Amino acid sequence: MEAMNPREQAPEISYARWRNRFLQSLLVGACLFGLLAVPPAVMGSANLAFSIIYVAAYLVLIATTVVRLPYWVKARILLVLVFGIGVSGLLDTGIWGDSRTFMIGFIVLATMLFSP
């Protein structure tokens, strides 16, 4: 059997780099989705406080996406935003609103972002 040349070895995959790119992709996707989702949420909310919460959460999301922060800070901010929107949706529209989707999304994202 012939010895493998060191240059021909399979490239090493950096898990930390992959996680950072995955999180950045999630944040950019959430910004694009929020661009479409925030206006109807603000217009459909009967209470001004919830409209302010939705706009503030979107602005924090944009800032988190643009500003260079450590991975764990960005991931926790994203999770806090998803959970906060879920709670505000629960208070705004009740159990029949979209809060259940945000709570399930919180669990899935927490698992994807922080599980080994």
Side-chain angles (χ1 to χ4, degrees):
M1 236 174 147
E2 197 175 302
M4 187 181 256
N5 188 347
R7 287 187 230 171
E8 294 177 3
Q9 291 179 352
E12 187 175 319
I13 296 174
S14 172
Y15 181 65
R17 194 172 352 155
W18 180 88
R19 280 191 337 176
N20 281 326
R21 285 192 310 232
F22 175 70
L23 177 60
Q24 194 63 31
S25 298
L26 277 176
L27 290 170
V28 169
C31 284
L32 293 175
F33 178 73
L35 190 61
L36 299 173
V38 169
V42 168
M43 289 182 225
S45 180
N47 193 342
L48 179 64
F50 291 115
S51 297
I52 292 171
I53 289 172
Y54 296 141
V55 171
Y58 186 64
L59 293 175
V60 169
L61 177 69
I62 291 173
T64 304
T65 304
V66 174
V67 174
R68 184 176 294 233
L69 295 169
Y71 172 83
W72 64 272
V73 173
K74 283 187 171 193
R76 286 184 183 170
I77 289 173
L78 179 62
L79 289 175
V80 166
L81 288 176
V82 171
F83 187 78
I85 294 296
V87 169
S88 68
L90 183 64
L91 296 173
D92 189 19
T93 59
I95 192 70
W96 297 111
D98 56 357
S99 63
R100 296 177 294 172
T101 305
F102 282 104
M103 294 301 177
I104 295 292
F106 171 77
I107 294 168
V108 171
L109 279 175
T111 303
M112 290 172 67
L113 294 174
F114 286 112
S115 84

